[in-house]
C-alpha cells in the first residue's frame, strides 16, 4: 500500500504500465537532440512522465506548426487522461499557450463539457485557468457562461475557487471588450446573496478580494455596500478580516469612516490586542487619511483602567504581542502635527519603564532613532 501511495517520479510509469523502449532511451540519452517526431506513437506516454512532459513542453515553445500538429494528433484522443494528470496537465497548458488559435480552440471545446468537474480537480483546475487566460475575446463569454449557477460550488472548493478568481481577473484584463468585467456579473450576484458566509470562508474571502480589485466601479460599489452592512461581523473573523483589509485599501472614504467608528466603539486597545482585528487597525492607518489617523492617535492617548492601574492606552498597547505593531505602524504613517507630538511625548516620558517589556523595546528603539 505504501508503494502504491508514494508520489510518482520521473522514473515511475503510470500505474499498471511499464516504460516503452523509446522513453527508456530518452532517459538514457539526454544529450541527444530530440524532437517530437523522434517519439511518434509515444507522445502521451512522454506527457505522463516528469522529464518526458518537460521535454514536450519545451518543444511546444519552439516547435513549428508541423511539430505542434504531431503533438495534437496523439494528445487529443487521450485528453481525458491528461487533463488531470500530474505531469500531463502541463502539456495541455503549453498547447493553450503556444498552440495555433485552432489548436487552442479545439482543446477548449473538448474541455467545455466537463469544465465544472475539471475546475474541482487538483490539476484539471490549472488547465481551466490557462484556458481562461488564453481564450480569444470573442470566445470568453461562452466559456464563462459554463459557470452560471455553479460559481458558489466552485468558490467553496479548494481548487475551484482559484478558477473563479481567474475568471474575475481575466474578465477585467480584457480591456478591448468594454463589457469584459461585466461578463462575470453572475459571480457578483451569487456572492452578494451570501456575502457574510463567503467573507468568513477560507476560499470565499479570496474571491471577494478579487471582486474589490477587478470589478467595474458600479459593481464594486454594490459589493462595498453589501460588505458595509456586516463590517462588525468581519472585523475580527479569521477570514473576514482580510475582506475588511481589502475594503480599507480599495474602498471609499465612507467605508474607512465606518470601520474607524467600529474600532472606536469596540475599543482600540481591545481590538489591537486581537490577532486579526489588529491587522485591520494597521491597514486603516496605512490607507486612511490624516483625519482618520489622528483620530486613532487620540484614542491611544486616552486613559484606561487595567487591574486598578490607570495608564494611557498606548502604554498598554506597546506591551502587547499584537498591539505593539499597531503603535509601530502609527509612528510610521502619522504626519507631524499636534497628535504625533503628543504621542511621542507620552512614549518618551515612559521610555525607561517600557524597556522592561519585551514588545515595547521595539517602540523605544524606534522613537530613539
Amino acid at each position: 500500500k505504501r508503494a502504491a501511495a508514494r508520489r510518482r517520479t520521473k522514473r515511475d510509469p503510470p500505474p499498471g504500465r511499464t516504460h516503452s523502449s523509446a522513453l527508456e532511451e530518452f532517459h538514457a540519452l539526454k544529450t541527444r537532440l530530440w524532437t517530437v517526431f523522434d517519439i511518434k506513437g509515444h507522445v502521451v506516454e512522454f506527457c505522463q512522465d516528469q522529464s518526458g512532459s518537460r521535454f514536450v513542453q519545451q518543444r511546444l515553445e519552439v516547435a513549428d506548426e508541423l511539430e505542434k500538429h504531431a503533438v495534437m494528433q496523439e494528445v487529443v484522443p487521450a485528453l481525458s487522461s491528461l487533463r488531470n494528470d500530474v505531469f500531463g496537465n502541463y502539456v495541455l497548458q503549453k498547447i493553450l499557450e503556444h498552440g495555433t488559435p485552432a489548436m487552442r480552440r479545439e482543446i477548449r471545446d473538448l474541455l467545455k463539457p466537463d469544465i465544472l468537474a475539471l475546475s474541482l480537480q487538483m490539476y484539471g483546475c490549472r488547465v481551466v485557468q490557462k484556458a481562461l487566460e488564453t481564450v480569444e475575446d470573442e470566445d470568453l463569454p461562452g466559456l464563462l457562461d459554463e459557470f452560471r449557477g455553479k460559481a458558489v460550488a466552485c468558490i467553496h472548493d479548494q481548487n475551484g475557487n482559484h478558477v473563479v478568481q481567474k475568471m474575475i481577473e481575466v474578465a477585467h484584463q480584457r480591456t478591448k471588450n468594454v463589457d469584459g468585467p461585466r461578463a462575470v456579473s453572475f459571480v457578483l450576484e451569487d456572492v452578494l446573496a451570501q456575502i457574510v458566509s463567503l467573507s468568513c470562508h477560507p476560499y470565499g474571502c479570496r474571491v471577494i478580494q478579487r471582486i474589490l480589485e477587478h470589478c467595474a466601479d458600479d459593481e464594486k460599489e454594490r459589493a462595498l455596500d453589501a460588505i458595509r452592512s456586516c463590517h462588525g461581523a468581519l472585523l475580527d473573523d479569521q477570514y473576514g478580516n482580510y475582506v475588511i483589509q481589502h475594503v480599507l485599501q480599495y474602498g471609499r472614504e465612507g467605508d474607512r469612516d465606518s470601520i474607524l467608528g467600529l474600532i472606536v466603539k469596540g475599543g482600540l486597545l481591545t481590538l489591537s490586542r486581537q490577532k486579526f482585528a489588529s491587522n485591520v487597525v494597521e491597514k486603516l492607518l496605512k490607507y486612511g487619511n490624516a483625519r482618520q489617523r489622528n483620530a486613532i492617535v487620540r484614542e491611544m492617548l486616552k486613559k484606561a483602567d487595567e487591574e486598578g492601574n490607570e495608564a494611557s492606552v498606548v502604554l498598554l498597547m506597546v506591551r502587547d504581542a499584537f498591539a505593539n505593531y499597531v503603535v509601530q505602524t502609527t509612528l510610521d504613517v502619522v504626519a507631524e502635527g499636534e497628535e504625533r507630538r503628543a504621542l511621542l511625548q507620552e512614549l518618551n516620558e515612559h521610555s525607561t519603564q517600557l524597556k522592561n517589556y519585551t514588545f515595547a523595546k521595539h517602540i523605544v528603539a524606534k522613537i530613539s532613532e
Side-chain angles (χ1 to χ4, degrees), residues 269 271-276 278-279 282 314-328 357-363:
L269 179 60
L271 293 172
S272 295
R273 283 173 165 171
Q274 295 172 5
K275 180 179 180 180
F276 305 117
S278 65
N279 291 326
E282 282 192 70
V314 70
L315 293 182
L316 297 172
M317 289 176 68
V318 295
R319 306 173 192 178
D320 183 79
F322 300 120
N324 84 91
Y325 289 108
V326 174
V327 180
Q328 289 187 55
Y357 298 96
T358 301
F359 302 113
K361 290 176 183 177
H362 301 293
I363 307 297

Side-chain angles (χ1 to χ4, degrees), residues 289-307:
N289 57 31
R291 172 180 57 79
Q292 292 159 342
R293 291 170 177 168
N294 287 333
I296 291 178
V297 174
R298 288 193 293 274
E299 292 299 309
M300 288 183 177
L301 294 171
K302 289 180 177 178
K303 298 296 181 181
D305 191 303
E306 193 161 87
E307 297 178 355

Side-chain angles (χ1 to χ4, degrees), residues 324-355:
N324 84 91
Y325 289 108
V326 174
V327 180
Q328 289 187 55
T329 300
T330 302
L331 293 172
D332 287 337
V333 302
V334 173
E336 188 61 44
E338 181 182 343
E339 284 82 1
R340 182 179 180 85
R341 287 192 294 272
L343 181 63
L344 288 172
Q345 181 180 344
E346 179 71 2
L347 291 169
N348 278 313
E349 286 178 357
H350 297 85
S351 60
T352 303
Q353 172 194 349
L354 294 178
K355 288 177 182 177

Side-chain angles (χ1 to χ4, degrees), residues 25-317:
E25 184 181 359
F26 175 78
H27 285 155
L29 301 174
K30 288 288 184 65
T31 55
R32 174 181 158 185
L33 295 177
W34 295 74
T35 71
V36 171
F37 300 116
D38 295 313
I39 62 169
K40 187 175 181 181
H42 301 283
V43 172
V44 173
E45 181 189 15
F46 270 63
C47 290
Q48 294 175 317
D49 173 83
Q50 185 175 18
S51 56
S53 171
R54 190 177 295 120
F55 160 70
V56 177
Q57 292 172 60
Q58 290 169 345
R59 289 308 306 166
L60 285 167
E61 290 176 359
V62 299
D64 59 20
E65 195 168 327
L66 198 61
E67 193 172 356
K68 290 175 184 177
H69 274 297
V71 175
M72 286 288 287
Q73 281 183 328
E74 297 187 42
V75 162
V76 167
L79 193 75
S80 60
S81 63
L82 294 178
R83 59 194 186 183
N84 195 44
D85 182 81
V86 60
F87 304 128
N89 81 89
Y90 292 108
V91 174
L92 296 182
Q93 289 186 58
K94 283 294 179 184
I95 293 173
L96 288 166
E97 194 173 354
H98 295 282
T100 65
M103 291 175 188
R104 294 199 298 268
R105 186 170 283 109
E106 183 176 3
I107 295 293
R108 282 197 306 272
D109 288 346
L110 289 168
L111 295 174
K112 226 175 178 183
D114 303 310
I115 203 159
L116 179 62
L118 277 174
S119 297
L120 306 182
Q121 295 174 344
M122 181 182 294
Y123 304 114
C125 76
R126 300 176 187 180
V127 178
V128 175
Q129 288 176 73
K130 186 61 71 173
L132 287 164
E133 285 179 4
T134 57
V135 66
E136 287 76 12
D137 284 354
E138 61 270 20
D139 294 331
L140 179 61
L143 195 59
L144 293 174
D145 279 345
E146 295 294 319
F147 293 91
R148 284 188 182 275
K150 304 163 188 173
V152 173
C154 286
I155 291 171
H156 279 120
D157 183 77
Q158 62 179 336
N159 301 311
N161 81 89
H162 294 290
V163 173
V164 179
Q165 290 183 65
K166 183 62 68 175
M167 288 162 57
I168 295 167
E169 292 169 11
V170 167
H172 171 74
Q173 290 163 1
R174 298 308 172 94
T175 52
K176 290 180 184 177
N177 183 350
V178 178
D179 292 326
R182 300 183 193 283
V184 288
S185 293
F186 66 90
V187 175
L188 179 65
E189 298 301 329
D190 291 347
V191 168
L192 292 184
Q194 302 182 39
I195 193 68
V196 178
S197 61
L198 289 176
S199 293
C200 297
H201 189 276
Y203 310 137
C205 71
R206 300 176 188 173
V207 171
I208 295 170
Q209 289 173 65
R210 300 295 87 74
I211 286 172
L212 294 177
E213 290 171 7
H214 299 298
C215 275
D217 288 345
D218 60 325
E219 294 184 326
K220 186 167 78 169
E221 293 267 336
R222 290 184 60 207
L224 288 167
D225 288 342
I227 296 167
R228 190 166 181 169
S229 68
C230 53
H231 280 173
L234 306 183
L235 193 66
D236 192 43
D237 181 80
Q238 63 177 327
Y239 302 116
N241 82 91
Y242 293 110
V243 172
I244 296 297
Q245 289 186 56
H246 250 57
V247 168
L248 290 168
Q249 183 174 353
Y250 295 95
R252 307 157 296 195
E253 201 81 354
D255 298 311
R256 297 186 190 95
D257 279 333
S258 170
I259 294 164
L260 173 61
L262 289 170
I263 291 169
V264 172
K265 184 179 179 182
L268 176 65
L269 179 60
T270 300
L271 293 172
S272 295
R273 283 173 165 171
Q274 295 172 5
K275 180 179 180 180
F276 305 117
S278 65
N279 291 326
V280 171
V281 180
E282 282 192 70
K283 209 78 162 189
L284 176 56
L285 284 162
K286 183 175 180 181
Y287 291 103
N289 57 31
R291 172 180 57 79
Q292 292 159 342
R293 291 170 177 168
N294 287 333
I296 291 178
V297 174
R298 288 193 293 274
E299 292 299 309
M300 288 183 177
L301 294 171
K302 289 180 177 178
K303 298 296 181 181
D305 191 303
E306 193 161 87
E307 297 178 355
N309 298 314
E310 188 178 70
S312 64
V313 168
V314 70
L315 293 182
L316 297 172
M317 289 176 68

